[in-house]
Amino acid sequence: MKWLGLWLLMSLGGHYALHLSWWIAIPASGVLTLVVEAVWNNVFGLHAPAPSSVGTAERAFVMGNAEARRGRHGEAVAYYDQAALADARSASLWFNRGNSLRALGRFGEAVESYDRALPLYLGDPAAASCWYNRGLALVAAGQLGEALGSLDKALGIEPEAVDILADKGAVLAKMGNHEEALRTFDAVLKAQPNNAHIAFNKAKLLGEMGRADESFEWITRAMSMDPKLAETLTQGK
């Protein structure tokens, strides 16, 4: 019965590969390996040895991804390091490693990992995500100027990425560049008129700029977009 289950799961591998690939950055050649690895884990138990056809680097990469999805980022980094020792030429490897390091609060190391990934994208627009996450790591490390540069690089690849634009606005506001931050928030609200989070950020920014009436108007709008916002703000005090 186990072998029948194994055959069925492997026969479905191609069908599910595209659905699996969005969970975490995986090279095209590694998606099927992820399916095979998952099958072996389910049939023979977690961390059971995979078939010899699965290379050392690829198998360590897959196991790192599995640990990252479980939220076990320390273990994920250890697997990614194993993979890098065998083959360090994968942008996805360094990108995922950076994400796990960022989740662990190791922001400097995360930036270094993203920097290893970026030259390996070779024009792939997926580099936008790497620039974006690099920017978020730099924000968390308090390096706002460099973070802004990273976010701009990401927007240069994906100029209509609203999430990146919103975070750029937040960085500009933290840097005291109020007018540019306001223009950035307005651009986000043009694309997403009912974004309560950005409406609240705009209200806060207007208050810092001494524009009290407009600030009150926008906090009212934000709370009408999301009735739970008032409760959230109250709990935060």
Side-chain angles (χ1 to χ4, degrees):
M1 183 60 71
K2 283 186 177 181
W3 290 109
L4 175 59
L6 176 61
W7 176 83
L8 287 170
L9 284 166
M10 291 186 72
S11 69
L12 288 171
H15 176 72
Y16 284 107
L18 290 176
H19 299 285
L20 286 167
S21 63
W22 68 266
W23 289 350
I24 196 163
I26 304 170
S29 62
V31 178
L32 183 57
T33 300
L34 174 57
V35 176
V36 173
E37 188 77 26
V39 169
W40 278 77
N41 286 342
N42 286 325
V43 173
F44 295 108
L46 187 61
H47 302 315
S52 59
S53 61
V54 179
T56 301
E58 195 169 13
R59 180 173 186 275
F61 176 65
V62 167
M63 296 305 296
N65 292 344
E67 295 292 2
R69 286 194 302 276
R70 295 185 182 100
R72 295 160 52 105
H73 293 287
E75 291 82 352
V77 170
Y79 275 118
Y80 293 142
D81 287 343
Q82 288 180 27
L85 286 173
D87 186 351
R89 297 170 296 176
S90 167
S92 297
L93 164 63
W94 293 108
F95 174 72
N96 291 356
R97 182 177 181 273
N99 290 343
S100 283
L101 287 166
R102 186 162 64 93
L104 291 168
R106 293 159 60 180
F107 304 119
E109 293 173 82
V111 171
E112 291 174 2
S113 201
Y114 294 134
D115 285 342
R116 292 289 299 269
L118 285 165
L120 300 172
Y121 281 103
L122 302 176
D124 187 335
S129 294
C130 193
W131 281 115
Y132 180 33
N133 287 10
R134 181 181 186 275
L136 296 179
L138 287 163
V139 170
Q143 297 174 250
L144 300 182
E146 194 174 348
L148 186 61
S150 254
L151 297 177
D152 280 336
K153 287 280 191 180
L155 287 167
I157 300 170
E158 293 188 4
E160 297 182 3
V162 175
D163 289 346
I164 303 175
L165 196 60
D167 282 320
K168 177 182 176 178
V171 171
L172 287 166
K174 286 182 180 181
M175 294 176 70
N177 194 337
H178 292 157
E179 292 294 343
E180 191 175 351
L182 188 59
R183 287 193 295 270
T184 304
F185 288 147
D186 282 340
V188 175
L189 288 165
K190 183 177 180 180
Q192 295 182 348
N194 295 316
N195 189 321
H197 176 70
I198 298 303
F200 170 74
N201 282 355
K202 180 175 178 178
K204 181 179 178 183
L205 179 62
L206 287 166
E208 291 173 359
M209 296 170 72
R211 294 160 63 173
D213 290 345
E214 292 172 88
S215 177
F216 182 79
E217 176 188 348
W218 276 98
I219 193 64
T220 304
R221 287 193 194 186
M223 288 189 290
S224 68
M225 293 172 191
D226 181 4
K228 295 182 179 179
L229 183 61
E231 179 182 349
T232 302
L233 294 175
T234 303
Q235 289 175 348
K237 290 189 176 183

